[in-house]
Amino acid sequence: MNTGRPLLYLDVDGPLNPYAAKPERRPEGYTTHRMKPEGWLAQHPGLPPSRVRPLRVWLKPSHGQALLKLTDRYDLVWATTWRNEANNFIAPVLGLPPLPFVDWPTTLTPGPNGTFWKTRHLVTHAEGRPFVWLDDELDDNDREFVAGHHEGPALLHWVDPRVGLRERDFEAVADFRTHSLTGRP
């Protein structure tokens, strides 16, 4: 088992960008940003970039500080379809430095046994290191898969995409680090 520093895998849409909130009710503390990442432009084949309407992204700048406080205990890694574009568009708004990212395969096929397509790739990426994964598309199938295929401790923490990361989510990350890696309940 790899006992390196724990990884904190960060999804963008859901945890950091509460995309499922009602369009007219931006959650408190979030700011609106209009962005045209390559991944968004690719969803509009045949349209020149100037004709593609920007993607609305809600971000909460204080999340950057909260995540930076975790870097004494975790290695932060983007685990998002934004890939490296999270460093160009999301990180600057949150005040984060460029982070490593999981480079997903180009074909996003469903995972085994009803798991989210990202799950098996993160288990491979972690290489046995302990990890926390913050995402809005996790369920018990993913937890069972990780428990059966990952050697180290892992916390798959679901974040409500209508509200994004909250204090209790950051507490769950801190509790995982404190309890699971020390062996204390």
Side-chain angles (χ1 to χ4, degrees), residues 95-154:
L96 294 173
L99 302 175
F101 64 96
V102 178
D103 194 15
W104 311 109
T106 54
T107 304
L108 308 178
T109 56
N113 304 321
T115 59
F116 184 31
W117 66 264
K118 290 181 182 178
T119 306
R120 68 186 181 278
H121 300 293
L122 289 184
V123 167
T124 300
H125 185 273
E127 297 181 325
R129 286 173 69 178
F131 71 84
V132 172
W133 177 17
L134 300 173
D135 207 302
D136 63 305
E137 297 195 48
L138 301 169
D139 64 22
D140 288 338
N141 291 328
D142 302 294
R143 289 178 188 88
E144 289 173 24
F145 183 88
V146 170
H149 294 87
H150 180 66
E151 295 176 19

Side-chain angles (χ1 to χ4, degrees), residues 37-109:
E38 289 299 319
W40 179 247
L41 295 174
Q43 292 182 34
H44 300 85
L47 276 180
S50 62
R51 301 267 329 261
V52 175
R53 186 175 173 185
L55 176 65
R56 187 235 340 125
V57 178
W58 284 333
L59 297 171
K60 190 172 189 175
S62 64
H63 282 159
Q65 277 298 88
L67 290 167
L68 286 173
K69 286 180 183 176
L70 295 170
T71 60
D72 65 332
R73 296 170 276 175
Y74 289 95
D75 291 337
L76 306 182
V77 178
W78 293 119
T80 173
T81 55
W82 287 72
R83 292 181 170 92
N84 191 42
E85 287 191 297
N87 284 320
N88 301 328
F89 291 93
I90 307 302
V93 174
L94 299 180
L96 294 173
L99 302 175
F101 64 96
V102 178
D103 194 15
W104 311 109
T106 54
T107 304
L108 308 178
T109 56

Side-chain angles (χ1 to χ4, degrees), residues 1-8 70 72-75 128-132 150-155 172-185:
M1 174 172 71
N2 185 332
T3 57
R5 278 173 47 95
L7 300 163
L8 176 53
L70 295 170
D72 65 332
R73 296 170 276 175
Y74 289 95
D75 291 337
R129 286 173 69 178
F131 71 84
V132 172
H150 180 66
E151 295 176 19
L155 171 64
V173 173
D175 286 348
F176 170 79
R177 176 69 175 141
T178 301
H179 301 299
S180 69
L181 301 179
T182 62
R184 294 189 313 248

Side-chain angles (χ1 to χ4, degrees), residues 12-21 27 30 56 58-59 160-164:
V12 169
D13 296 317
L16 294 172
N17 171 29
Y19 69 89
Y30 285 81
R56 187 235 340 125
W58 284 333
L59 297 171
D160 187 337
R162 295 169 300 178
V163 296

